[in-house]
Amino acid sequence: MNKKAIISTVNNTILNLKVSAKKKEGVRRKLVITAKRQESVWRKLAATAKEKENARRKKLVVTAEKLAVTAAKLVATAKEKELVRRRLAVTAEKLAATAKEKELVRRRLAITAEKLVVTAATLAVTADELSATAAKLAVIAKEKEIVRRKLAVTAAKLKESYEKLEKKVLERTKDLEMARVKEEAILLSIGDGVAVVDETGKLVFFNKIASDILGTDANQGLPDTWQKRYGVFDPISLKPLATDQIPFTLAFKGQSVSKMPLFIRNPQVPNGKFISVTATPIFLGGKSIGGVAIFRDMTEEKEVDKAKTEFVSLASHQLRTPLSTVNWYAEMLLAGDVGALNEKQKKYLDEVYRSNQRMVELVNALLDVSSLELGTFAIEPKPTDIIKLTQSVIDEQKPQITVKRMKFSFSSGKNITLIQADPKLLRMVVQNILSNAVKYTPEGGEIKLSISLADKKNILLEVSDTGYGIPKNQQDKIFTKLFRADNVRDKDTDGTGLGLYIVKSIVEKSGGKIWFHSSGEVAGVRASRGADGKENKGTTFYVTLPLVGMKKSVTGVK
Amino acid sequence: MKHQRTILIVEDEKSLRDAIVDILRLKNFLPLEARNGKEGVELALSKHPELILLDLIMPTMDGMTTLKKIREDAWGKKVPIIILTNLSAINGNIVADAVTHTPTFYLIKSDWKLHDIVKKIEAILGI
């Protein structure tokens, strides 16, 4: 379109618009009238509107209040929401963190998963092995079951055995108890006194005889120790024994005491008793657990001893009195106290005298033997110089030694001390052995006597000769009572056959020993050769005697 | 004449007493005889012999009792007494008793010659 077209159009439009504006003035006047009408209407409406406005305002206030409340609520809600939002934010953060962790975990899980795969493989292998093991275990289980059953059977058997055993033990215990009671009854009934002490020396057992002998009331119970109730004395001196000499004390120390004579006195009864005690230690497993003493009332034996002693004394007296008469009268006749005798008378009377003398010797020897055998020999030991004693015996024998032109020697050790011995008994020993050597050695022979220490405790007496010797087949009889060897009977008729018997008795009673070595031939052969005198190889006698020597013993009773 | 020493012999066995009396007379002693212990004590205490020979086993009163009785006397305490017996000294109590009452010697008759007994008496009396 060009500009004239546009200005014609715009002028048309302005004319159209002036026409419309006149029409519109007319309409506007009509409209002002209408507006004035409407004004009243409006006024009415305004009043209504005011009322309505008031109502509305009121409603609005209410609403506003409601809104305010709501707003407040909303604010609160908003706050809460903010809080929630914040929490959510936190939560979101946490979730983010969790997500990270989860990621980590996931990775780990992935690793684990890989591992698990490996493990699964391994497990597969293991499973195989396990199944194999399971099979084996099944086998073992079966075996175990078998064993278990067997064990159950064994257990049953064991139980049975145990019950049997228990029954047996009970029976055995009963038997043992019976045995113990029996043993105690036996001990109680033993005919000798029995007393037992334990290792502390306390008396633990006394049998009836022990109580009877000691005059102890059975109801009184046992005293603590032996010495506490009973006085123990030496039976000869009646002096109290030292504690270490009491048999029980010795038994503790492991020493045995055999038939030790004692005098025992219970102060509660009038008289004491002579008893003989044998006490021995009780050993159990090599250890001394006490001592047991057996003792016997010797009162009756003492009486018998007394009778024996009196018999021997009287026999000695009665037998020797007529011998003394013959001796003394023959002696006076031979001495010419009542006038001189002619040679024949003198010779005959000398025979009477010498035979009587032999009889005296025989009676003396027999009395010695009786005393030894009856145990009535009084042994009175005292410190004795055996060398001096031997020298005096030698001096006594010197005349015969000289007459027979014998070589004689006596040697003695320098360290010979005094020995505890009864000199009269010791003398008998030395005298018998030496006189035998002199008697049974031919003229010109040799005798050697020596005394030395055999050891620390014993003395040794040695007498050797170059005599006839003791026939081999009679050597075992040489110490027998009244025995005389065949080869000496024809050489010496004086012997009694009692000398060596007495010597052996004395030596053995003294705790010594006697033996000999002899080269004598068999009797028959010896006798036939005796005449040429070729085999006088001799005999050596040996005697040992303990230095502590003989024990005192006196049996006589007052 | 020389002074004769009085010796009392207390011995119940006549043959033995006679033998002792004879030898003592022969040896110039004056023997007094008692047949038992009782007579012995009486003679001893009345005659106061210089020495007494005393047997042990005798009737009426034995030698040991006699010894005790004599020793109880003031004079008797000192007189030498020889127990001359055939009783062996095997009985410890006799020995103990004898020692207690102090005899001068204890001799066994059958072991002693009469002449040796006389020598013993002379030795004791210092003759």
Side-chain angles (χ1 to χ4, degrees):
Chain A
M1 282 170 265
N2 57 21
K3 271 180 182 179
K4 278 181 179 166
I6 294 171
I7 295 165
S8 135
T9 328
V10 171
N11 282 354
N12 280 354
T13 308
I14 293 166
L15 276 163
N16 286 350
L17 276 167
K18 276 177 180 164
V19 173
S20 277
K22 276 182 182 163
K23 280 179 184 171
K24 275 183 180 183
E25 183 62 36
V27 169
R28 194 207 53 104
R29 281 179 194 153
K30 280 176 186 170
L31 276 171
V32 170
I33 303 156
T34 318
K36 280 178 180 170
R37 284 180 204 155
Q38 277 186 349
E39 182 72 29
S40 84
V41 171
W42 183 78
R43 278 188 191 156
K44 284 175 188 173
L45 276 172
T48 310
K50 253 187 185 169
E51 280 171 18
K52 277 187 181 177
E53 179 64 18
N54 282 342
R56 198 191 52 91
R57 278 200 186 154
K58 273 179 189 170
K59 273 183 189 174
L60 276 173
V61 167
V62 170
T63 306
E65 277 170 3
K66 282 179 184 175
L67 279 171
V69 170
T70 306
K73 280 180 184 173
L74 281 172
V75 167
T77 308
K79 275 183 184 168
E80 279 172 11
K81 277 187 178 170
E82 177 59 22
L83 270 172
V84 171
R85 195 197 55 78
R86 281 186 193 158
R87 279 180 197 154
L88 281 172
V90 171
T91 308
E93 275 170 15
K94 281 182 182 169
L95 280 171
T98 308
K100 272 186 188 169
E101 279 172 9
K102 276 187 178 168
E103 177 58 22
L104 272 170
V105 170
R106 196 196 56 79
R107 283 188 195 158
R108 281 184 197 149
L109 281 172
I111 293 166
T112 307
E114 276 168 15
K115 284 185 182 165
L116 278 171
V117 170
V118 175
T119 307
T122 314
L123 279 174
V125 175
T126 309
D128 286 350
E129 285 173 4
L130 278 174
S131 73
T133 308
K136 282 181 191 166
L137 281 173
V139 173
I140 292 170
K142 267 186 192 168
E143 283 171 2
K144 276 193 175 165
E145 176 60 20
I146 292 165
V147 172
R148 196 193 61 77
R149 281 185 195 156
K150 282 185 186 165
L151 279 174
V153 172
T154 310
K157 283 183 185 165
L158 274 173
K159 198 186 170 199
E160 200 183 336
S161 302
Y162 173 75
E163 278 163 1
K164 277 186 192 164
L165 199 65
E166 198 168 37
K167 207 176 152 193
K168 269 190 188 167
V169 166
L170 274 173
E171 281 169 8
R172 191 81 187 100
T173 309
K174 216 172 142 190
D175 287 352
L176 281 172
E177 179 61 16
M178 254 326 268
R180 196 189 65 77
V181 170
K182 266 190 194 167
E183 274 167 15
E184 196 166 315
I186 290 167
L187 275 175
L188 281 168
S189 318
I190 287 173
D192 284 341
V194 178
V196 179
V197 289
D198 67 13
E199 72 280 7
T200 63
K202 192 176 178 300
L203 273 167
V204 289
F205 179 84
F206 243 41
N207 72 346
K208 189 181 175 305
I209 303 285
S211 300
D212 290 350
I213 292 175
L214 298 165
T216 302
D217 183 356
N219 299 323
Q220 202 179 355
L222 297 175
D224 272 358
T225 63
W226 182 270
Q227 306 93 289
K228 241 181 204 174
R229 190 176 296 164
Y230 308 107
V232 185
F233 305 90
D234 180 279
I236 296 159
S237 66
L238 296 181
K239 282 179 188 155
L241 277 191
T243 306
D244 60 0
Q245 289 303 309
I246 291 172
F248 265 141
T249 318
L250 293 169
F252 285 142
K253 290 181 185 166
Q255 291 178 38
S256 294
V257 173
S258 182
K259 295 179 184 165
M260 179 178 182
L262 282 180
F263 182 73
I264 282 236
R265 194 163 135 60
N266 177 356
Q268 292 169 347
V269 295
N271 297 312
K273 297 263 183 173
F274 286 98
I275 60 168
S276 159
V277 185
T278 296
T280 34
I282 306 170
F283 284 112
L284 190 67
K287 203 181 143 203
S288 172
I289 58 158
V292 56
I294 298 170
F295 51 98
R296 179 173 290 183
D297 188 346
M298 298 303 284
T299 314
E300 247 176 67
E301 279 86 344
K302 279 262 169 190
E303 294 293 320
V304 173
D305 274 350
K306 192 183 168 191
K308 282 182 195 170
T309 311
E310 280 174 0
F311 168 76
V312 175
S313 298
L314 282 170
S316 71
H317 183 260
Q318 303 299 78
L319 286 169
R320 289 198 286 210
T321 297
L323 295 173
S324 303
T325 312
V326 174
N327 249 0
W328 286 354
Y329 283 101
E331 182 199 332
M332 285 195 284
L333 281 170
L334 283 168
D337 288 339
V338 285
L341 301 181
N342 65 35
E343 279 311 302
K344 204 110 202 188
Q345 287 168 332
K346 219 173 179 174
K347 189 176 174 291
Y348 288 3
L349 195 58
D350 196 50
E351 285 297 330
V352 172
Y353 182 76
R354 287 207 296 117
S355 292
N356 194 62
Q357 207 57 50
R358 267 187 69 193
M359 194 66 178
V360 168
E361 276 164 29
L362 190 60
V363 167
N364 286 347
L366 278 170
L367 289 170
D368 289 341
V369 168
S370 304
S371 292
L372 284 167
E373 286 181 350
L374 294 172
T376 58
F377 226 109
I379 301 177
E380 300 276 349
K382 53 183 162 196
T384 303
D385 185 340
I386 188 172
I387 294 170
K388 209 171 154 189
L389 185 144
T390 304
Q391 192 57 57
S392 89
V393 174
I394 294 167
D395 292 346
E396 212 175 73
Q397 295 288 323
K398 262 281 150 62
Q400 282 90 327
I401 293 171
T402 312
V403 164
K404 290 178 95 171
R405 299 189 308 278
M406 285 169 162
K407 242 175 106 183
F408 180 84
S409 66
F410 174 39
S411 66
S412 59
K414 279 176 187 166
N415 44 2
I416 309 292
T417 51
L418 298 184
I419 68 167
Q420 191 68 16
D422 184 324
K424 75 174 187 292
L425 297 182
L426 187 58
R427 192 179 174 85
M428 279 166 88
V429 171
V430 181
Q431 198 267 336
N432 261 291
I433 296 175
L434 183 59
S435 71
N436 278 350
V438 174
K439 258 194 250 176
Y440 304 125
T441 302
E443 284 193 12
E446 185 176 359
I447 294 171
K448 286 183 197 162
L449 200 159
S450 83
I451 294 171
S452 58
L453 281 178
D455 50 53
K456 278 180 185 168
K457 290 180 176 171
N458 295 285
I459 212 157
L460 174 71
L461 172 75
E462 219 176 317
V463 180
S464 63
D465 62 46
T466 55
Y468 309 124
I470 301 160
K472 281 261 186 306
N473 63 344
Q474 296 186 333
Q475 289 187 352
D476 56 338
K477 294 183 193 142
I478 202 73
F479 293 114
T480 309
K481 187 165 47 177
L482 295 170
F483 175 81
R484 298 196 70 214
D486 290 343
N487 62 337
V488 295
R489 279 183 173 173
D490 53 343
K491 298 194 172 61
D492 177 88
T493 49
D494 278 1
T496 59
L498 292 169
L500 286 176
Y501 173 78
I502 292 169
V503 167
K504 189 172 158 71
S505 297
I506 294 171
V507 168
E508 287 180 352
K509 270 176 203 294
S510 309
K513 278 182 200 152
I514 180 165
W515 71 99
F516 63 89
H517 287 134
S518 179
S519 53
E521 298 296 327
V522 172
V525 183
R526 175 72 195 79
S528 66
R529 282 201 210 157
D532 58 22
K534 270 183 184 170
E535 59 291 288
N536 294 330
K537 287 173 186 166
T539 303
T540 304
F541 269 90
Y542 305 88
V543 174
T544 61
L545 286 169
L547 292 169
V548 289
M550 306 174 180
K551 288 201 176 97
K552 188 177 170 75
S553 114
V554 178
T555 28
V557 179
K558 289 204 182 190
Chain B
M1 189 163 168
K2 215 169 88 184
H3 161 70
Q4 282 188 310
R5 310 278 186 129
T6 314
I7 309 289
L8 172 63
I9 302 121
V10 190
E11 169 64 65
D12 63 320
E13 194 74 33
K14 189 176 182 303
S15 60
L16 291 175
R17 197 171 64 236
D18 287 350
I20 300 167
V21 166
D22 282 356
I23 193 81
L24 285 176
R25 283 209 179 106
L26 200 73
K27 300 287 175 185
N28 207 25
F29 287 94
L30 183 62
L32 294 173
E33 297 176 59
R35 289 169 297 173
N36 56 53
K38 194 167 169 283
E39 285 182 16
V41 176
E42 284 166 9
L43 274 173
L45 299 185
S46 60
K47 305 281 184 185
H48 287 194
E50 290 185 46
L51 185 143
I52 300 169
L53 290 171
L54 180 62
D55 189 17
L56 284 182
I57 298 184
M58 290 180 294
T60 315
M61 185 190 284
D62 68 27
M64 212 38 86
T65 315
T66 308
L67 178 64
K68 282 178 201 170
K69 292 236 180 248
I70 294 170
R71 289 296 187 221
E72 278 165 17
D73 182 78
W75 164 83
K77 273 191 177 55
K78 288 174 185 168
V79 64
I81 298 175
I82 296 175
I83 288 178
L84 186 61
T85 182
N86 266 326
L87 196 64
S88 297
I90 54 165
N91 189 318
N93 292 313
I94 288 178
V95 175
D97 267 355
V99 169
T100 310
H101 299 287
T102 58
T104 309
F105 279 99
Y106 190 103
L107 309 180
I108 301 287
K109 288 174 198 165
S110 59
D111 294 348
W112 280 76
K113 288 182 178 179
L114 272 180
H115 287 87
D116 290 337
I117 295 170
V118 172
K119 279 178 195 157
K120 195 103 217 169
I121 293 170
E122 288 171 344
I124 293 166
L125 295 178
I127 299 167

